[in-house]
């Protein structure tokens, strides 16, 4: 991916102009707006392959429908870093805003003020508690994703043993729901699997690695780990490498970043619960343009999930062609 960084103003705001190579678009086309609608995407954090793929999809739709896209990302995950980004974006007065909310409540007032100023908002991947702020919410079914992860991990460890989860801190809607779905599935269908707890790594590879090595020190018979996002997944693999437990402790992780796919192919991760960030970004622009044209929008759009393993080489290749670097 070719990136060109420009400081927008405000401590942690970076605008990224994406040059797309070989990205394909899909889905029904909304009516193009008169002129070039200015759309801003605020993802959860910089440096995430998931959000880079989301930006690729959004840029593809913007190019197709004659809009302009700016990506403004906080340096790290969380409301404290995302709020200044939203303030800077609000001052730029974009025609529409696509946002990945990093907290279910802390961003509501700021987003409401952006909405009140006449900017339609589309929530991607995550959501806030108040469902009246956005014109559309686009995400996968995180409860179902957690259940799929539990099923995949149970298969890998033979239906019994100790397992743990690593996610982001409370306040992040999607990852909380994923882990909750994971625990529900274990409780209902896998009585011989013991869930020993959840650790919170703030998208920090080092922290996630430390949780894994600490868990193995206290529970050397740990059989499996569910990791609720891509960055923490790499941390978990790092921890297993440090402990010499790669392959012995099975890992099922959310998302399918390039580093996660490398770990899958190397046997460090056994299965990935893949979303479609490209599709989320693409449809986000579609919904934003529909709102700007005064057309009906879809209040909720559910993005299908996919389990990726090395046993399904064709499915893995197809996924990467759509959601890899662009």
């Amino acid at each position: 991916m070719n990136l060109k960084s420009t400081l927008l103003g405000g401590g942690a705001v970076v605008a990224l102009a994406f040059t797309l190579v070989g990205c394909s678009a899909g889905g029904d086309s909304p009516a193009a707006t008169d002129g070039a609608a200015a759309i801003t995407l605020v993802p959860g954090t910089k440096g995430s392959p998931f959000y880079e793929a989301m930006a690729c999809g959004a840029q593809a739709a913007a190019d197709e429908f004659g809009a302009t896209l700016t990506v403004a990302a906080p340096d790290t995950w969380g409301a404290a870093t995302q709020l200044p980004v939203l303030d800077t974006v609000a001052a730029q007065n974009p025609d529409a805003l696509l946002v990945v909310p990093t907290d279910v409540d802390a961003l509501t007032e700021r987003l409401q003020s952006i909405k009140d100023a006449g900017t339609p908002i589309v929530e991607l991947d995550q959501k806030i508690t108040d469902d009246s702020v956005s014109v559309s919410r686009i995400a996968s079914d995180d409860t179902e994703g957690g259940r799929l992860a539990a099923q995949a991990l149970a298969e890998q460890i033979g239906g019994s043993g100790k397992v743990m989860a690593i996610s982001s801190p409370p306040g992040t809607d999607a990852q909380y729901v994923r882990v909750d779905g994971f625990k529900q599935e274990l409780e209902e269908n896998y009585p011989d699997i013991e869930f020993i707890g959840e650790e919170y790594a703030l998208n920090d590879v080092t922290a996630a690695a430390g949780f894994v090595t600490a868990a193995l020190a206290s529970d050397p018979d740990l059989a499996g780990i569910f990791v609720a996002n891509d960055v923490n997944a790499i941390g978990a693999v790092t921890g297993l490498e440090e402990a010499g437990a790669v392959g012995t402790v099975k890992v099922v992780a959310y998302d399918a970043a390039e580093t996660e796919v490398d770990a899958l192919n190397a046997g460090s991760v056994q299965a990935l619960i893949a979303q479609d960030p490209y599709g989320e970004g693409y449809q986000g622009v579609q919904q934003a343009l529909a709102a700007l044209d005064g057309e009906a929008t879809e209040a909720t759009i559910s993005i299908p999930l996919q389990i990726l393993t090395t046993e399904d080489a064709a499915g893995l290749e197809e996924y990467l062609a759509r959601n890899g670097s662009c």
Side-chain angles (χ1 to χ4, degrees):
M1 180 176 294
N2 299 320
L3 303 181
K4 183 178 179 181
S5 300
T6 306
L7 189 64
L8 284 179
V13 187
V14 175
L16 305 178
F18 289 79
T19 302
L20 292 177
V21 180
C23 287
S24 60
D28 297 331
S29 301
T33 56
D34 294 332
I39 300 173
T40 296
L41 166 63
V42 178
T45 184
K46 291 195 302 184
S48 165
F50 182 91
Y51 295 132
E52 290 177 357
M54 180 183 287
C56 286
Q59 184 66 67
D63 288 347
E64 182 174 347
F65 304 130
T68 63
L69 180 74
T70 298
V71 181
D75 289 329
T76 57
W77 178 276
T81 53
Q82 196 173 39
L83 282 168
V85 175
L86 290 173
D87 286 340
T88 302
V89 169
Q92 308 257 326
N93 195 30
D95 293 314
L97 171 65
L98 313 181
V99 61
V100 178
T102 57
D103 190 281
V104 295
D105 295 315
L107 305 174
T108 303
E109 182 178 351
R110 197 75 86 257
L111 291 175
Q112 182 66 53
S113 68
I114 293 173
K115 173 191 174 184
D116 292 343
T119 299
I121 296 171
V122 178
E123 294 172 68
L124 303 178
D125 186 45
Q126 315 270 340
K127 61 181 182 291
I128 61 174
T129 303
D130 187 346
D131 63 3
S132 69
V133 174
S134 60
V135 298
S136 183
R137 292 172 153 188
I138 304 173
S140 56
D141 184 335
D142 290 304
T143 299
E144 177 63 17
R147 287 185 174 274
L148 290 175
Q151 294 165 17
L153 190 57
E155 181 178 351
Q156 290 293 328
I157 65 174
S160 65
K162 295 180 179 180
V163 300
M164 66 177 292
I166 299 175
S167 71
S168 290
T172 303
D173 176 75
Q175 293 191 47
Y176 167 81
V177 175
R178 291 168 194 169
V179 175
D180 193 51
F182 178 80
K183 292 190 292 185
Q184 288 176 26
E185 182 69 17
L186 293 182
E187 291 169 1
E188 294 172 11
N189 297 304
Y190 300 98
D192 295 328
I193 295 180
E194 178 186 354
F195 181 73
I196 63 171
E198 177 181 6
E199 298 289 357
Y200 302 119
L202 191 61
N203 286 347
D204 186 320
V205 170
T206 301
F211 288 137
V212 170
T213 55
L216 284 168
S218 59
D219 285 285
D221 54 346
L222 179 69
I225 305 170
F226 168 50
V227 193
N229 78 341
D230 54 350
V231 178
N232 290 337
I234 301 310
V237 169
T238 301
L240 291 178
E241 291 172 345
E242 292 172 354
V246 170
T248 301
V249 178
K250 308 301 182 183
V251 177
V252 172
Y254 236 86
D255 301 324
E258 182 178 355
T259 47
E260 288 181 288
V261 173
D262 289 344
L264 180 71
N265 288 326
S268 304
V269 170
Q270 281 63 51
L272 297 172
I273 309 300
Q275 303 179 83
D276 181 14
Y278 183 98
E280 289 186 21
Y282 187 93
Q283 293 193 60
V285 169
Q286 285 183 309
Q287 293 301 305
L289 291 176
L292 290 171
D293 283 342
E295 299 177 356
T297 57
E298 297 182 57
T300 302
I301 297 176
S302 182
I303 301 294
L305 291 163
Q306 183 176 356
I307 299 179
L308 301 179
T309 67
T310 54
E311 295 177 0
D312 181 14
L316 183 59
E317 182 178 356
E318 181 180 351
Y319 178 87
L320 293 176
R322 178 175 172 84
N323 284 288
S325 298
C326 63

